[in-house]
Amino acid sequence: MAPNNESSPLLPREPAVERYSPLYDESKGMPEDEGALFDTTDILRDVIIGFSDGLTVPFALTAGLSSLGSSKIVIMGGLAELFSGMISMGLGAYLAAVTERDHYTSQEARELDQVDAMPEARRAEVYTILEKYAVPRAAAQPLVDELCRNRAHWARFMVDFSLRLERPNIHRAWISGVTMGLSYLVGGLIPMIPYFIMPKVGEAFVVSIAVTAVILLIFGYVKNYVAIRNHRAGLWGAIQTLIIGVLAAGTSYLIIKALDS
């Protein structure tokens, strides 16, 4: 007996919301602007990466420079690294998102060409894909016929299910760049604050270590708990993050101290 079409996961009762479509929809003309929806998972990932690097790298650098005994050197070196790191992280995230978007677009265009050049072979591949989900050929035929009437949707189906590529957001590039860059800036400012408000570099160094250690623990716990929803994983994430920060800062401090002496 053929499965009920209404309960099939391949035929949702409501159409799925598209995030980005560079191809024309022949039934509607120009593609609609689908950039209003943002993937919060991607944004959270960018915040975690940017904030984590911002906490660790400037903290390690300022800890090392503090061994020279001058708050001015710490502030100048820390700010130089902070802003250059923010630009580097933001630009890197932007270029990575652009590359991902361009790769998807090129693959979608290639599938569109293959749909035009070898329709029967591509139609047979659609049946093969549906067979992986235990959809009999007889039950799949109406779906395949309907899908193959629109070449743009047909090509997109091949990219989604054959190549298994996720359709990126059209605005993802600049959102990723800004998010990661600002996260790096905020994270990097935290260990530098004591050097701005305390006259003695030694005291500022101790306060910076204490404040950054607390933030590393909180941040490590939150990022793991949000991802896994488990308190034990959160505690392990807090310990890992603190160990990384301590190792980075300690290594920087010892190297600069050795070079100075």
Side-chain angles (χ1 to χ4, degrees):
M1 181 176 179
N4 188 349
N5 287 343
E6 292 184 357
S7 62
S8 173
L10 297 176
L11 292 173
R13 296 187 178 183
E14 297 181 1
V17 179
E18 301 176 357
R19 289 193 296 160
Y20 170 57
S21 178
L23 296 178
Y24 287 93
D25 185 338
E26 294 179 340
S27 64
K28 298 181 181 180
M30 291 291 292
E32 297 180 359
D33 181 10
E34 298 161 342
L37 299 179
F38 303 128
D39 192 337
T40 55
T41 302
D42 290 338
I43 294 177
L44 180 61
R45 181 196 63 191
D46 291 337
V47 170
I48 289 175
I49 295 174
F51 192 79
S52 178
D53 284 359
L55 271 176
T56 306
V57 179
F59 172 57
L61 177 63
T62 54
L65 293 177
S66 66
S67 65
L68 300 178
S70 172
S71 296
K72 182 177 181 180
I73 294 177
V74 173
I75 292 174
M76 291 176 62
L79 288 177
E81 193 286 327
L82 183 60
F83 285 101
S84 61
M86 178 188 68
I87 295 172
S88 177
M89 292 288 290
L91 185 59
Y94 174 83
L95 294 177
V98 167
T99 301
E100 179 185 358
R101 184 188 66 191
D102 292 345
H103 175 64
Y104 187 97
T105 303
S106 66
Q107 293 300 312
E108 195 172 27
R110 185 178 68 85
E111 288 293 337
L112 186 60
D113 292 338
Q114 292 187 359
V115 163
D116 294 334
M118 50 183 77
E120 293 304 321
R122 293 327 240 175
R123 181 185 291 266
E125 190 170 347
V126 174
Y127 282 111
T128 301
I129 293 172
L130 294 177
E131 287 174 0
K132 297 179 181 178
Y133 298 90
V135 181
R137 192 179 186 89
Q141 183 174 354
L143 172 63
V144 175
D145 292 341
E146 183 65 28
L147 175 67
C148 296
R149 288 177 184 176
N150 188 298
R151 54 198 291 270
H153 293 167
W154 188 359
R156 177 179 176 182
F157 178 88
M158 298 305 297
V159 175
D160 292 344
F161 288 91
S162 179
L163 301 180
R164 298 185 181 277
L165 296 178
E166 183 180 356
R167 181 178 296 271
N169 190 303
I170 192 172
H171 299 303
R172 173 74 189 131
W174 67 264
I175 292 175
S176 181
V178 171
T179 301
M180 192 171 293
L182 290 179
S183 299
Y184 187 91
L185 178 64
V186 172
L189 281 175
I190 292 175
M192 292 189 61
I193 292 176
Y195 297 99
F196 286 105
I197 61 179
M198 302 182 71
K200 295 183 179 180
V201 66
E203 296 177 356
F205 175 55
V206 173
V207 174
S208 177
I209 291 177
V211 171
T212 307
V214 172
I215 298 299
L216 285 172
L217 286 171
I218 296 174
F219 175 71
Y221 177 88
V222 170
K223 72 179 181 66
N224 268 30
Y225 182 77
V226 169
I228 306 177
R229 297 292 179 182
N230 183 282
H231 290 291
R232 179 177 296 179
L235 291 174
W236 177 237
I239 295 172
Q240 284 180 315
T241 306
L242 180 62
I243 291 174
I244 293 173
V246 170
L247 288 176
T251 302
S252 176
Y253 184 91
L254 292 176
I255 289 176
I256 295 180
K257 187 70 174 179
L259 292 174
D260 181 55
S261 62

